[in-house]
Each structure stands twice: as structure tokens, then as C-alpha cells.
Amino acid sequence: MDNILNHIGKTPLVHLDNLSQELKINVYAKMESMNPGKSLKDRSSKNILLQALKRKLINTKTTVIESSSGNMAIGLARVCSLLGLKFIAVVDPNINSQTLKILQLYGAHIEMVSVTDGTGSYLNTRLKRVQTLLSSIPNSYTTNQYSNPDNPQAHRHIFKEIKADLGHSPDYLFTAVSTCGSVRGILDEIAVNQDKTKVIAVDAEGSLIFSDQVKTRYIPGMGASRKPDFDITQSLYAHQLVSEQETIAGCYQLLKLECILAGGSTGAQVAALMKRAPTLEPGADVCMIVADDGERYLDTIYDTEWVKRKIDKK
């Protein structure tokens, strides 16, 4: 029987006409926001859990645990609910109110941490809570998106689909980074086929993925307060840091030019593309990944009062 899991992936690739005209290049958006759970994390959640079941790492009595205040938590909550598994999401105060409500609707148990990890973020505190829960809950399992190889494996299909839709590999691909699972998978697929696509990773200022300059960040979905377990530095063409102000401006620019309401990581890619565009050859084929839907950010990125309170004061 067909079910919702079979409709994860095979997302559309759309040409961004107005942005392309403005920048004199061909810009395409891989619409991962059109997955059933409205984010690319549907791919990770499905692959990690189905592979864990296949290898008998989990069973119907297992409690699944993950550190995430965003789309990975939603993806896992949906798949766990469908498979009849218990799920605990370890989250932090930066979680969007819509995300929290969605998790609760899918039956996830919420573990909220409240102490930062000394980097202005909560990631390491969340990971410690995961370990505490694993040691105290019998038959528990963490999907561990930060180092589980089934995470990048799921995202190799993103590049396969882009290539199939374009009829060739793009010249450049922009993608935001956090756990670095998606970019690792894309890089693996490029390497296997020896494609010439140049991948530019987009990261938040204050993230420790490419920098040692830590800064408090409020927009979830990109950046990290630790170095990634997935090695990406050897395969990347370049990386681009963007501020949270630039991220929000990128979200509004995409909304104005293309009527695409997207999350922060997508806005950051738009900002990075605007910075890099003068260095790209005219007519180049450039892809970006619309990682999630912007409706989950109506109380944050798209709320002017929140932006004034959290972002503009920095």
C-alpha cells in the first residue's frame, strides 16, 4: 500500500525567473519545503529510522531520542508516529512556537534544556541531555543526526534529482550547513560521478563550523556551536558566512521576487548568492536548496517586533 513515506523526496526544481534576470545567471531552487513534512529533514528521518529497523537496532518498543529544535525533530516525530514508536525531542528556548505545537500534535515528548553551553548556543547542552536520557531509559536509541552515516546517505538523492531535472550537473550549488549531513551527502554524490559542480556552503556568523569566533545566534536551522563530525572541508569549493540580519533580508528578497516563503537557511543562501554573484560567470547554472517552509517562522523571522527584539539589538 502507498503511504506518506513514499512521497518523501522527488521534490520539484524550479527556475527563479526574477532572481535570474537580476543576477544574469540561471538560478534554480530545489523545493525541499514541498516534502510532506515541509523540509529536507524528512529524507534524513525516513532513512535513519528505516535503516535502524532493518538492522534491528530498534523495535516497536524502542524510544527514539534526538537533539533538535527544528525540522529534524518534526521529521522524526512524524515518522515515529507512523511507525508506532515513542519519540523524545530534546529542544531549547530558540524553538519556534509553531514547531513546538507541531511536535506536540505528533505525540512527541518534549525535553527542554535551559542552560547555554558557553558558546551562546544550547547544542552541547542538548547533546548531554540526550546521553542522560539514553542511560536512564531502557531500549532507547538516538538517531544522532550529527554523525549517523544514514543522514548524508539520504541526501545523495537531492543531487541525483537536481541532475535529472536539469539534464546535467549545475555549475554551482549553494547549501546551508548545520549538522553538515545534507552537504556531505551531496558532496559524496558529486564525487562518485566526478561531476564538476562547485559547492558553496553557507554558514551563520557566530557558528563554529568554519570559524572560531563564537556569537549568540537566534535563527535555528543553520550553524552549530561545535565542529561537525561529517568532514566537508576537503571537498567544498568555498564557504560563505552571513549575518542574521542578512539572512532575514534574504528571506524577504526571495518572498518579494519569487513569492517563495522560506525559512532562515534559505534566506541565508539568497544572501550568500548575492555576495558571490559578481564572481560567477554570466549564464552559469546555480542551484540553491529551499530547505523548509517559512510558515514555521511567522513568529520569528517574519515578525518585525521579534526581529527588533532579538536581531537588531545585537
Side-chain angles (χ1 to χ4, degrees):
M1 294 292 292
D2 198 17
N3 66 42
I4 199 69
L5 292 182
N6 296 328
H7 295 276
I8 290 173
K10 299 180 182 177
T11 54
L13 183 72
V14 300
H15 187 258
L16 303 183
D17 295 340
N18 295 322
L19 197 56
S20 296
Q21 287 182 10
E22 182 173 322
L23 299 179
K24 304 297 188 292
I25 54 179
N26 295 308
V27 185
Y28 299 88
K30 180 63 168 164
M31 299 298 293
E32 290 298 291
S33 58
M34 296 182 73
N35 275 303
K38 298 188 177 183
S39 88
L40 59 74
K41 294 294 187 177
D42 275 10
R43 296 181 188 257
S44 308
S45 303
K46 172 186 174 181
N47 196 51
I48 290 174
L49 287 174
L50 292 188
Q51 291 299 322
L53 282 168
K54 181 179 179 181
R55 298 176 190 134
K56 301 189 186 309
L57 299 175
I58 61 177
N59 55 48
T60 56
K61 303 293 184 182
T62 300
T63 298
V64 176
I65 307 171
E66 182 59 277
S67 158
S68 170
S69 283
N71 293 314
M72 186 66 178
I74 290 176
L76 287 170
R78 294 179 71 255
V79 180
C80 282
S81 178
L82 188 63
L83 298 176
L85 300 169
K86 297 177 183 176
F87 175 59
I88 299 175
V90 180
V91 307
D92 64 57
N94 285 336
I95 189 171
N96 292 320
S97 59
Q98 289 94 340
T99 297
L100 189 59
K101 291 175 183 176
I102 292 168
L103 289 174
Q104 291 167 336
L105 284 170
Y106 283 127
H109 174 78
I110 307 299
E111 282 279 325
M112 177 78 71
V113 303
S114 58
V115 179
T116 61
D117 58 14
T119 68
S121 177
Y122 296 88
L123 175 56
N124 293 309
T125 306
R126 294 201 320 255
L127 293 174
K128 287 180 181 178
R129 180 68 64 85
V130 168
Q131 293 304 312
T132 299
L133 291 169
L134 287 171
S135 63
S136 61
I137 300 174
N139 191 12
S140 57
Y141 170 82
T142 178
T143 43
N144 191 14
Q145 61 173 321
Y146 306 94
S147 61
N148 191 325
D150 292 324
N151 182 7
Q153 182 65 30
H155 296 288
R156 293 181 65 163
H157 294 282
I158 291 177
F159 192 76
K160 288 181 182 178
E161 293 167 17
I162 289 173
K163 242 179 109 171
D165 285 344
L166 273 181
H168 58 270
S169 57
D171 298 304
Y172 299 91
L173 187 146
F174 285 74
T175 181
V177 291
S178 181
T179 67
C180 294
S182 58
V183 68
R184 181 66 267 168
I186 289 168
L187 290 169
D188 287 343
E189 186 61 26
I190 290 172
V192 164
N193 296 286
Q194 297 183 321
D195 290 304
K196 302 302 182 183
T197 301
K198 297 173 181 177
V199 177
I200 299 172
V202 181
D203 195 17
E205 289 183 358
S207 165
L208 296 182
I209 295 176
F210 296 105
S211 172
D212 294 321
Q213 301 298 315
V214 67
K215 183 164 50 173
T216 299
R217 293 174 289 109
Y218 294 102
I219 299 175
M222 62 179 295
S225 57
R226 54 174 244 171
K227 300 296 182 183
D229 292 332
F230 298 116
D231 180 22
I232 62 172
T233 55
Q234 300 302 314
S235 309
L236 284 177
Y237 171 69
H239 73 269
Q240 181 68 57
L241 299 182
V242 298
S243 69
E244 293 197 309
Q245 287 88 348
E246 291 169 330
T247 292
I248 294 169
C251 287
Y252 277 101
Q253 189 166 22
L254 188 63
L255 180 61
K256 179 182 178 181
L257 290 177
E258 305 292 345
C259 291
I260 294 176
L261 183 67
S265 66
T266 307
Q269 290 172 69
V270 174
L273 176 59
M274 300 303 290
K275 289 184 174 186
R276 291 265 172 178
T279 70
L280 307 182
E281 56 271 23
D285 289 332
V286 181
C287 287
M288 56 183 291
I289 297 174
V290 178
D292 64 351
D293 189 90
E295 290 183 2
R296 291 169 187 167
Y297 304 87
L298 294 180
D299 291 341
T300 53
I301 292 172
Y302 296 100
D303 184 320
T304 55
E305 291 303 315
W306 182 89
V307 172
K308 288 177 183 178
R309 187 171 68 253
K310 291 287 191 178
I311 308 300
D312 291 346
K313 74 172 187 177
K314 288 168 61 176

